[in-house]
Amino acid sequence: MQASEFLQNVKEKKKFSKQIRLYIIDKNRHHFIRDGILKDGFDSELAITKDRDSILSAFSKMAFLFDEIIRLRIVGCMDDKENQELLYIVNLIPINRKIRTFLDWKVFGPEFTRDMSRLFEVRNDTLHCISLDEVSYVPKNKISLSSTAGFNKFVLDLQISWKTLLKIYITEQKKMDWKKLSKLL
């Protein structure tokens, strides 16, 4: 059984277990199961405009997937006390430590780790700025997000990293025991 078959089982049921908490990516469609409800998740494409909120929203989606990867690897998809306690702790861990953990776990390769670290520096700067004029991105040479070329380079790199992160998440998701999970529905 695969994710798409599991999703079909979920859609056929009117009610299912509130014990399942799972973010599922299937054929570029994202779904989130929580509290016995199936909802739509994020889009597979990141639409980023040249404003602070748009940039922070993109990074928020990435950080969510980071937490979901950690959660899947440690407690699986059950929404129980251990899961809630883990999510509480995971929220206390700085992003740069999560990125380093993924390198240590061999979830991220060294190049992707470096790219994510550089991108999340932009997130940190954006969190603490009033205007994007104050934010720089350093893929190799320092470029300002206020310039069109600098912003376009940042957006391209962020979108490439998002696609890579989605592939990594799908790889982690494939480790699920979908048959066992279906029995919990």
Side-chain angles (χ1 to χ4, degrees):
M1 178 177 278
Q2 294 179 346
S4 54
E5 294 171 89
F6 175 78
L7 279 169
Q8 190 59 40
N9 288 345
V10 168
K11 290 174 184 176
E12 289 172 1
K13 295 195 178 267
K14 296 292 182 208
K15 288 186 174 184
F16 50 90
S17 176
K18 292 183 177 188
Q19 293 179 315
I20 300 171
R21 181 187 189 282
L22 184 59
Y23 195 80
I24 303 172
I25 301 173
D26 180 48
K27 301 174 189 157
N28 287 330
R29 300 247 10 242
H30 297 225
H31 309 274
F32 191 47
I33 297 174
R34 185 163 190 208
D35 295 326
I37 300 169
L38 176 66
K39 298 179 182 178
D40 288 334
F42 305 127
D43 288 330
S44 285
E45 300 293 325
L46 279 183
I48 304 165
T49 58
K50 199 172 184 176
D51 69 83
R52 188 175 180 274
D53 290 341
S54 177
I55 292 169
L56 292 175
S57 175
F59 281 114
S60 177
K61 292 171 185 173
M62 293 176 103
F64 173 82
L65 284 182
F66 286 2
D67 293 353
E68 289 302 297
I69 291 169
I70 292 169
R71 201 180 60 71
L72 279 178
R73 290 180 64 98
I74 295 175
V75 296
C77 62
M78 300 305 294
D79 197 13
D80 53 17
K81 184 179 179 192
E82 288 83 14
N83 174 61
Q84 293 165 8
E85 290 173 351
L86 176 67
L87 285 174
Y88 175 81
I89 291 169
V90 166
N91 283 320
L92 300 175
I93 300 169
I95 286 288
N96 63 337
R97 291 304 314 148
K98 292 175 187 178
I99 292 169
R100 176 60 197 208
T101 298
F102 290 141
L103 176 65
D104 294 344
W105 288 353
K106 296 181 180 23
V107 172
F108 290 179
E111 285 182 34
F112 189 64
T113 300
R114 182 200 65 226
D115 294 346
M116 290 303 268
S117 294
R118 289 176 177 169
L119 287 166
F120 270 88
E121 283 298 319
V122 171
R123 173 195 167 266
N124 294 343
D125 292 347
T126 304
L127 274 172
H128 302 287
C129 77
I130 294 172
S131 165
L132 291 180
D133 295 341
E134 303 169 39
V135 180
S136 295
Y137 173 49
V138 187
K140 289 185 183 172
N141 299 318
K142 187 175 181 177
I143 52 178
S144 173
L145 259 59
S146 64
S147 74
T148 301
F151 183 76
N152 289 342
K153 171 67 174 150
F154 163 73
V155 168
L156 178 64
D157 289 354
L158 188 62
Q159 288 173 333
I160 290 169
S161 292
W162 171 250
K163 290 288 187 192
T164 302
L165 182 59
L166 293 179
K167 288 176 186 173
I168 290 168
Y169 187 82
I170 290 168
T171 298
E172 292 297 314
Q173 175 185 284
K174 286 180 181 177
K175 297 175 185 175
M176 298 282 309
D177 185 345
W178 295 106
K179 283 186 181 182
K180 183 177 176 182
L181 188 56
S182 283
K183 291 177 183 175
L184 297 174
L185 292 175

